Amino acid sequence: NDVKNIEARIAHTQILKGDHRLSFGYQFNHFNIENLINTQNFFEEEVAEEIASIANVHAVYADLNLKATKHLELVLSGRLTDIESLGQQVFSPQIKANYTLKHGWLLKSSFGIYHQYLSTIKESQFTISNAVEQHWLLADNNQLVPMVVNNQYSLGIIRNTKSWLIDFDVYQKKIDGLLARNLGFGFTREDGFNQGTERVIGLDLTLRRRWKYFKLWFSYNFQDSEVRFPELFVRSFPSSLNIRNQFNISSSYTKGNWEY
């Protein structure tokens, strides 16, 4: 799998009246992606399949940061992308809202629609490395290699002081356009790709306590992630990234110029 990307970007930020801020720019990408899948099965002829995609991607984007009130901050973002390989344009809007509460607490929320024109194939069979391989492809056909679309929501609260950091988020993602390859259904590109969806629900909690010489961090992450490929399986199943519970604890001690 050979992925080549040439990128050029230009951006500008303008400070507006009322401490508002506007950022906008243009981005160009030239992709040249080659993929070779070689399949060997016992008592069957070896099969080699090559997939190549070359395309230009143009995008214009803007972010408007508004101080709506003393306590409310809004960030309105938009990105218009022209994908040559698909022959279509897509618009990706995002909105973020932060509201300052009493005693240093900040309520934060976000919603966004994200488009990804680089996709991956996930093998449904284990390879010689005993791991699920992934192959990068460029979206070039909604029936074969579609664009990945993610609808994402999040809500959280944060408090950051000299001694304490408390950061809590809950989120949900709905992803369309996933690709899986089942070699049992054929070796051609048309037969071997199956499209699916993913649902992710999670929460993140981070706590940090700071003393004069000592810092202590604690984080907890929960994620429930399910994938569905209706053409292959009747029921949904946990994704390869599904880690239900994860804990992390770390600490540091600083004395003079030394940190342990």
Side-chain angles (χ1 to χ4, degrees):
N1 192 191
D2 190 12
V3 180
K4 298 177 182 178
N5 174 31
I6 299 175
E7 180 174 306
R9 185 191 305 230
I10 184 170
H12 176 72
T13 299
Q14 182 72 39
I15 305 299
L16 307 176
K17 292 183 179 179
D19 203 23
H20 307 314
R21 186 172 68 252
L22 175 64
S23 300
F24 56 91
Y26 165 79
Q27 179 179 335
F28 168 80
N29 292 85
H30 174 76
F31 287 102
N32 186 349
I33 300 178
E34 297 178 353
N35 197 293
L36 174 63
I37 300 177
N38 192 296
T39 305
Q40 293 180 346
N41 290 319
F42 289 112
F43 310 114
E44 293 184 15
E45 184 180 356
E46 179 179 328
V47 177
E49 180 183 354
E50 288 190 59
I51 304 172
S53 299
I54 300 176
N56 297 322
V57 179
H58 306 269
V60 290
Y61 56 91
D63 299 288
L64 180 59
N65 192 308
L66 296 173
K67 300 287 185 180
T69 66
K70 181 180 178 181
H71 301 283
L72 179 62
E73 178 184 17
L74 295 175
V75 180
L76 307 177
S77 304
R79 185 181 188 92
L80 181 62
T81 307
D82 178 80
I83 305 162
E84 187 180 86
S85 60
L86 282 172
Q88 69 180 77
Q89 297 80 38
V90 294
F91 180 66
S92 306
Q94 292 99 36
I95 181 172
K96 298 179 182 179
N98 299 325
Y99 189 83
T100 303
L101 305 172
K102 295 181 179 180
H103 309 296
W105 290 93
L106 180 69
L107 184 66
K108 53 182 179 175
S109 62
S110 69
F111 165 76
I113 300 176
Y114 302 88
H115 296 86
Q116 178 178 304
Y117 39 82
L118 280 177
S119 186
T120 59
I121 311 172
K122 295 185 178 182
E123 297 280 10
S124 61
Q125 295 183 356
F126 284 107
T127 63
I128 194 172
S129 63
N130 201 31
V132 178
E133 301 288 348
Q134 295 193 29
H135 307 275
W136 289 94
L137 291 173
L138 184 67
D140 59 4
N141 188 304
N142 287 325
Q143 300 301 320
L144 298 178
V145 183
M147 186 182 309
V148 179
V149 183
N150 174 25
N151 290 267
Q152 181 172 313
Y153 315 81
S154 71
L155 180 65
I157 191 168
I158 185 173
R159 186 172 189 263
N160 192 3
T161 66
K162 186 176 180 180
S163 301
W164 279 98
L165 169 66
I166 304 173
D167 192 353
F168 177 77
D169 284 288
V170 293
Y171 59 87
Q172 176 175 291
K173 301 179 183 181
K174 294 181 179 180
I175 304 170
D176 293 318
L178 299 184
L179 285 181
R181 179 178 176 85
N182 189 308
L183 300 181
F185 280 75
F187 298 106
T188 67
R189 181 179 182 185
E190 289 78 4
D191 295 334
F193 289 179
N194 299 99
Q195 296 186 26
T197 61
E198 183 174 8
R199 176 196 57 81
V200 182
I201 297 175
L203 66 87
D204 298 325
L205 172 65
T206 301
L207 302 175
R208 185 206 65 203
R209 180 70 167 93
R210 177 186 296 169
W211 291 271
K212 186 175 181 180
Y213 302 111
F214 189 72
K215 296 178 186 177
L216 178 66
W217 290 268
F218 167 81
S219 67
Y220 167 69
N221 309 99
F222 168 83
Q223 179 174 288
D224 180 19
S225 177
E226 287 188 347
V227 177
R228 183 172 177 81
F229 286 94
E231 296 179 1
L232 299 178
F233 306 100
V234 176
R235 298 180 180 179
S236 59
F237 55 91
S239 75
S240 58
L241 301 177
N242 188 32
I243 302 177
R244 285 299 182 94
N245 298 282
Q246 181 172 298
F247 297 89
N248 288 285
I249 298 176
S250 61
S251 61
S252 67
Y253 176 77
T254 304
K255 186 66 173 179
N257 294 326
W258 291 89
E259 183 176 4
Y260 305 90

